[in-house]
Amino acid sequence: MLIEISNLTKKYIMGEMEVPALIDINLQIKKNEYVAIMGPSGSGKSTLMNILGCLDTPTTGHYFFNGTDVSTLDDDSLSAMRNKEIGFIFQNFNLLPRLSSLQNVELPLIYSGVPAHERKERALSALEKVGLSSRVGHKPTELSGGQKQRVAIARALVTSPGILLADEPTGALDSKTGEDIMRLFHDLHQEGNTIILITHEQEIANYADRNIYIKDGSIHSDQINGNKTQVKQSSSLINIQ
Ligand SMILES: Nc1ncnc2c1ncn2[C@@H]1O[C@H](COP(=O)(O)OP(=O)(O)O)[C@@H](O)[C@H]1O
Ligand SMILES: [Mg+2]
């Protein structure tokens, strides 16, 4: 089992108040699953993503990643694991504005000490995979929203992580560009990647094989998606906008 969460609770402390953001979550995700986590605003989706991505720790309960109890890791091992095993994709891309596409994609490899020539080679190949070979020298301001998200996806892929974690990846894009990005996720899943996608839109969740619905911090339902969107065209072959 790639991800195993048992009896997990997360409370935020605000002054004298405790805000229960996640309540008794139990969840298992296998390698190469494609899962969408859904729920209304404030239901706990981002809190769960932060815990899955080792950016935050549970208040109680356990999170095992590839058999390792994440709560037993010290800060250095945790950030090493985050850098190696988790590819993050955010709604607002989170690219560094002064860096080119290539430099943005190279960043995680710099943190993990990969030598310069290998870094460049791997970053170029990740950019090729997302269909952006012709934009490697562009800065984020010189790219469209969809292209920026492709750079962010290349940056997430470049370390060959165990999971791709995407929080509302199409939230800042128009629906046509959002579809292109979802086709790219489809291809990446076909190639063997494990994808966990967070969204409040059923239309986006329909691209995934499994839909988990969170309500008020608890898992309300967890089902195979019987309404899966059929994707035919390979995104790397289409002309990107
Ligand atoms: N840093 C924080 N401090 C206090 N409360 C928080 C914090 N982050 C989130 N919350 C609260 O936890 C609940 C879940 O938030 P969140 O995980 O961001 O939901 P979602 O991503 O589904 O919109 C909400 O009630 C929110 O107000
Ligand atoms: Mg959120």
Side-chain angles (χ1 to χ4, degrees):
M1 198 59 65
L2 184 60
I3 283 174
E4 196 153 13
I5 282 178
S6 60
N7 307 112
L8 184 148
T9 299
K10 176 70 182 181
K11 292 190 180 109
Y12 292 109
I13 310 289
M14 293 190 66
E16 307 262 285
M17 292 240 308
E18 276 192 350
V19 181
L22 294 173
I23 304 157
D24 199 26
I25 301 284
N26 291 284
L27 180 62
Q28 299 189 329
I29 296 175
K30 294 193 203 76
K31 195 170 154 41
N32 196 219
E33 276 200 76
Y34 187 0
V35 182
I37 297 177
M38 299 190 65
S41 176
S43 56
K45 302 183 298 295
S46 295
T47 301
L48 182 57
M49 160 145 170
N50 290 342
I51 291 173
L52 285 170
C54 304
L55 292 166
D56 203 353
T57 49
T59 308
T60 60
H62 288 279
Y63 171 25
F64 292 90
F65 184 90
N66 244 338
T68 302
D69 186 345
V70 171
S71 60
T72 63
L73 300 179
D74 61 22
D75 283 354
D76 285 350
S77 324
L78 203 59
S79 45
M81 193 181 106
R82 195 161 54 225
N83 193 264
K84 173 72 195 75
E85 296 294 346
I86 309 195
F88 291 99
I89 296 148
F90 301 96
Q91 178 169 359
N92 292 311
F93 324 124
N94 290 13
L95 300 175
L96 294 186
R98 289 175 193 281
L99 301 187
S100 68
S101 303
L102 180 66
Q103 290 167 326
N104 267 288
V105 176
E106 276 186 282
L107 271 184
L109 300 177
I110 293 178
Y111 298 142
S112 54
V114 174
H117 63 279
E118 186 189 332
R119 245 166 26 217
K120 187 171 178 194
E121 207 170 286
R122 284 170 63 180
L124 286 173
S125 126
L127 282 161
E128 186 181 357
K129 183 163 275 193
V130 300
L132 270 193
S133 290
S134 61
R135 300 287 189 278
V136 297
H138 287 55
K139 302 239 166 78
T141 50
E142 299 159 346
L143 298 170
S144 70
Q147 290 170 340
K148 281 186 254 203
Q149 195 58 300
R150 282 168 189 269
V151 175
I153 293 170
R155 180 185 56 188
L157 282 172
V158 77
T159 56
S160 308
I163 45 173
L164 289 175
L165 268 182
D167 195 354
E168 305 275 4
T170 62
L173 304 174
D174 64 73
S175 60
K176 158 82 179 60
T177 310
E179 258 178 55
D180 290 344
I181 293 298
M182 295 316 294
R183 277 203 290 269
L184 177 56
F185 279 120
H186 169 86
D187 288 356
L188 294 173
H189 174 239
Q190 294 293 105
E191 286 171 20
N193 288 287
T194 308
I195 301 177
I196 304 177
L197 186 93
I198 291 183
T199 182
H200 62 273
E201 291 180 74
Q202 184 64 54
E203 207 176 317
I204 295 299
N206 279 347
Y207 284 89
D209 295 324
R210 174 177 169 195
N211 284 185
I212 297 171
Y213 193 81
I214 301 187
K215 205 177 160 195
D216 300 329
S218 300
I219 294 182
H220 187 255
S221 64
D222 181 350
Q223 290 173 320
I224 301 300
N225 174 21
N227 204 12
K228 188 170 155 114
T229 301
Q230 296 305 310
V231 177
K232 290 179 203 86
Q233 194 176 17
S234 170
S235 62
S236 42
L237 301 175
I238 61 169
N239 214 353
I240 49 136
Q241 298 302 308

